[in-house]
Amino acid sequence: MKLRLHDLRGRSEGVQVHEQVALGDLGSRDRSLVALEAVDAELTACESSGVYRVEGTLTTRATYRCSRCLREFREPLVASFAEAFVRESAGAKGERDDEEGPIPVSGDEIDLAPYIEQTVVLALPWRPLCDPECAGLCPDCGTNLNEDSCGCRDGALDPRWEKLGELWNRMSGSPGGNG
Ligand SMILES: [Zn+2]
Ligand SMILES: [Zn+2]
């Protein structure tokens, strides 16, 4: 996905860019990511005082492997994109003044794909879950506890309920607080 800086000059209203961007195989970097559809990039680019701003929304659908039960599931992924570029000056070749500042670029064309990829990678969940309440696999026999139950943990209290029980005891045992 290429952006021509030349097209932006003198157009204060900006230029709309709408393109599908197929990213490379991100699954090799993130093992919980099974597949990623082409990213739908809906961006607005505009130039002001020599700074080229590109902003918009990236939408795609990702297939993850649940980090608890290992089931694969597909989910939409939406990320906001915002980058600023500046033409590389002779004095500061390839150097970015600071992390927040515009990215120096040479030539008249910017390939946005690497920046889109970076934004998508940062938006990926660290530990994807098929459901926030996913019960996961039994650590003893490997049964998927969402679908089935096993006898391994019979009699053992779920630690979450244990905590709740403690809290309940403390609340009902207290003389009513100091409020
Ligand atoms: Zn799961
Ligand atoms: Zn089990």
Side-chain angles (χ1 to χ4, degrees):
M1 184 180 197
K2 298 270 178 19
L3 184 72
R4 281 175 53 118
L5 301 184
H6 183 80
D7 296 341
L8 301 180
R9 239 161 272 152
R11 294 181 65 171
S12 52
E13 79 281 7
V15 173
Q16 309 287 329
V17 195
H18 190 181
E19 226 178 283
Q20 303 276 330
V21 186
L23 300 180
D25 181 22
L26 303 182
S28 53
R29 273 200 250 167
D30 185 340
R31 281 175 49 229
S32 58
L33 181 70
V34 178
L36 189 75
E37 290 179 12
V39 177
D40 189 74
E42 217 167 345
L43 306 172
T44 304
C46 63
E47 184 260 346
S48 149
S49 314
V51 178
Y52 301 85
R53 289 184 194 286
V54 187
E55 287 176 1
T57 309
L58 309 177
T59 315
T60 183
R61 286 207 294 179
T63 307
Y64 304 105
R65 189 174 289 114
C66 174
S67 60
R68 277 190 205 152
C69 71
L70 308 181
R71 188 172 75 89
E72 290 183 9
F73 65 101
R74 193 157 62 164
E75 211 174 63
L77 180 96
V78 180
S80 41
F81 181 89
E83 281 291 1
F85 303 91
V86 69
R87 263 177 181 284
E88 195 172 68
S89 59
K93 262 201 177 314
E95 288 285 318
R96 205 172 174 181
D97 292 347
D98 57 88
E99 278 298 304
E100 303 299 313
I103 301 162
V105 289
S106 56
D108 190 54
E109 262 187 359
I110 305 173
D111 183 9
L112 291 176
Y115 304 103
I116 288 172
E117 179 174 314
Q118 196 178 37
T119 303
V120 169
V121 167
L122 289 173
L124 291 172
W126 183 56
R127 281 172 68 89
L129 293 176
C130 64
D131 185 295
E133 300 292 313
C134 173
L137 304 176
C138 170
D140 296 327
C141 71
T143 297
N144 185 338
L145 299 174
N146 298 308
E147 294 163 359
D148 217 341
S149 58
C150 61
C152 303
R153 294 286 159 129
D154 265 0
L157 200 58
D158 186 318
R160 284 172 298 182
W161 292 113
E162 208 166 4
K163 277 267 184 317
L164 204 65
E166 274 172 29
L167 190 70
W168 178 252
N169 286 340
R170 228 181 305 151
M171 280 166 67
S172 51
S174 76
N178 51 8

